[in-house]
Amino acid sequence: MAQEVSNGNHNSSAKPPPTPSPLRFSKFFQSNMRILVTGGAGFIGSHLVDKLMENEKNEVIVVDNYFTGSKDNLKKWIGHPRFELIRHDVTEPLLIEVDQIYHLACPASPIFYKYNPVKTIKTNVIGTLNMLGLAKRVGARKKATWGNVNPIGVRSCYDEGKRVAETLMFDYHRQHGIEIRIARIFNTYGPRMNIDDGRVVSNFIAQAIRGEPLTVQAPGTQTRSFCYVSDMVNGLIRLMEGENTGPINIGNPGEFTMLELAENVKELINPNVEIVMVENTPDDPRQRKPDITKAKELLGWEPKIKLRDGLPLMEEDFRLRLGVPGKN
Ligand SMILES: NC(=O)c1ccc[n+]([C@@H]2O[C@H](COP(=O)([O-])OP(=O)(O)OC[C@H]3O[C@@H](n4cnc5c(N)ncnc54)[C@H](O)[C@@H]3O)[C@@H](O)[C@H]2O)c1
Ligand SMILES: O=C(O)[C@H]1O[C@H](OP(=O)(O)OP(=O)(O)OC[C@H]2O[C@@H](n3ccc(=O)[nH]c3=O)[C@H](O)[C@@H]2O)[C@H](O)[C@@H](O)[C@@H]1O
């Protein structure tokens, strides 16, 4: 935000400032917060939109190219006076007026981001540059996300793209004074995950509902830590509203092997399914667990929903979309 700089020459004969208008507390004069969510038609983005729309002072603008997201995720807001949906690719410049930017646009599932790696890196690098340019022009606060690194592997279009995005954020912050927040998002799960995007939680839940074997990729002892999406959204908003630039890890430190995850899904969703071991993909990280000390200390945030409580919350949404009615 720009601030006027005083030259120290105070003119004592200057007129006193005018009395503030008594109308300043009326609703009409209180401007709304215009919030841009890029990738807002996606999984995390659409849940973030739901939460932001709960606040009557927020106007939410979503920008998405629908590569992995869908209008369906936002259908309850389409036509709402405080909501706008724009089909736009963040690799192209965008000229709009906003106060805050949540920059989430980027395919997150490995099979989608590996599908067109050049586009993935462009989305991360050029997309982030465009959003920083927008933030610089309008003086908005911007928050971006980061994922983990081998510079030449099949996951590098994503990992390295996120690293450059983070460098760009800090360069714009230091060089142009842009207010920034950086969240390092760890594996997140919940309703509205793409059913067939290959991510492990959505795969297992869909397989359990269809009565198919749960495909654990070898060796099955690799670990992940899964954060329920409402906890994630609360963490992102807490970061945006606070004073710390980050980077800050947002995730759930509860760590599970993929075999343990499969056993939990089997027990909770369909005890009749088999668990089978299948081949893995290259460069699969062997362990992932966030250290959330900073989030706890600086944001007063920690996740509330345990994996065994979160998994059943996805069942109804998945059954509806798969067209498989419930057990009762
Ligand atoms: N879900 C996770 O476990 C996880 C983990 C780490 C980081 N993240 C990050 O969080 C963000 C959101 O992830 P998600 O799980 O909601 O993924 P998602 O694929 O469901 O959502 C991404 C959204 O971005 C849109 N998008 C992609 N490229 C775009 C482009 N060039 N222009 C405009 N829109 C574009 C997609 O259509 C989609 O709606 C991503 O930046 C991702 O890298 C997610
Ligand atoms: O931050 C990142 O780098 C990325 O991390 C994850 O990618 P990943 O952890 O590989 O997530 P999944 O594809 O869900 O795989 C998790 C684990 O489950 C295993 N898996 C996957 C699918 C399956 O059917 N079975 C299975 O055992 C994989 O081998 C892997 O070890 C997220 O899905 C991405 O959104 C995120 O951006």
Side-chain angles (χ1 to χ4, degrees), residues 33-228:
M33 176 72 82
R34 290 157 309 174
I35 306 176
L36 171 63
V37 181
T38 75
F43 162 54
I44 299 178
S46 64
H47 285 279
L48 174 67
V49 169
D50 289 351
K51 186 75 187 173
L52 294 172
M53 286 295 292
E54 282 176 15
N55 182 341
E56 284 195 6
K57 297 205 63 67
N58 288 341
E59 281 177 27
V60 178
I61 303 167
V62 165
V63 156
D64 206 294
N65 69 351
Y66 308 125
F67 174 46
T68 55
S70 150
K71 277 188 202 168
D72 231 34
N73 290 337
L74 296 167
K75 60 177 183 269
K76 71 172 164 195
W77 301 120
I78 292 171
H80 191 288
R82 288 187 286 108
F83 178 77
E84 255 175 275
L85 179 56
I86 304 172
R87 178 191 287 266
H88 177 84
D89 193 308
V90 293
T91 59
E92 302 293 335
L94 178 69
L95 288 173
I96 54 172
E97 307 301 315
V98 290
D99 304 300
Q100 285 183 349
I101 306 170
Y102 285 87
H103 180 39
L104 298 171
C106 174
S109 155
I111 60 169
F112 284 132
Y113 70 63
K114 289 180 200 165
Y115 169 75
N116 185 344
V118 174
K119 177 73 190 199
T120 301
I121 204 153
K122 276 184 169 174
T123 296
N124 277 318
V125 177
I126 302 174
T128 302
L129 262 174
N130 283 334
M131 289 310 118
L132 285 163
L134 172 61
K136 176 168 170 255
R137 185 175 59 79
V138 301
R141 179 179 294 181
K142 183 176 172 300
K143 198 205 70 60
T145 64
W146 190 87
N148 264 342
V149 190
N150 164 8
I152 55 166
V154 290
R155 295 177 78 113
S156 312
C157 57
Y158 181 88
D159 298 341
E160 293 291 285
K162 294 281 183 187
R163 290 216 311 177
V164 175
E166 199 167 297
T167 307
L168 284 169
M169 295 275 288
F170 265 90
D171 285 339
Y172 265 74
H173 176 58
R174 285 183 290 250
Q175 192 174 335
H176 299 299
I178 303 292
E179 268 206 77
I180 57 158
R181 305 286 181 266
I182 297 178
R184 290 180 177 168
I185 296 180
F186 283 68
N187 295 58
T188 306
Y189 70 103
R192 297 190 199 145
M193 289 183 88
N194 264 322
I195 286 173
D196 290 312
D197 75 3
R199 286 194 262 188
V200 68
V201 178
S202 43
N203 268 10
F204 287 177
I205 301 254
Q207 289 163 340
I209 290 175
R210 289 171 170 144
E212 295 167 357
L214 309 187
T215 53
V216 173
Q217 293 176 353
T221 48
Q222 70 271 36
T223 67
R224 293 293 188 275
S225 304
F226 299 101
C227 184
Y228 192 69

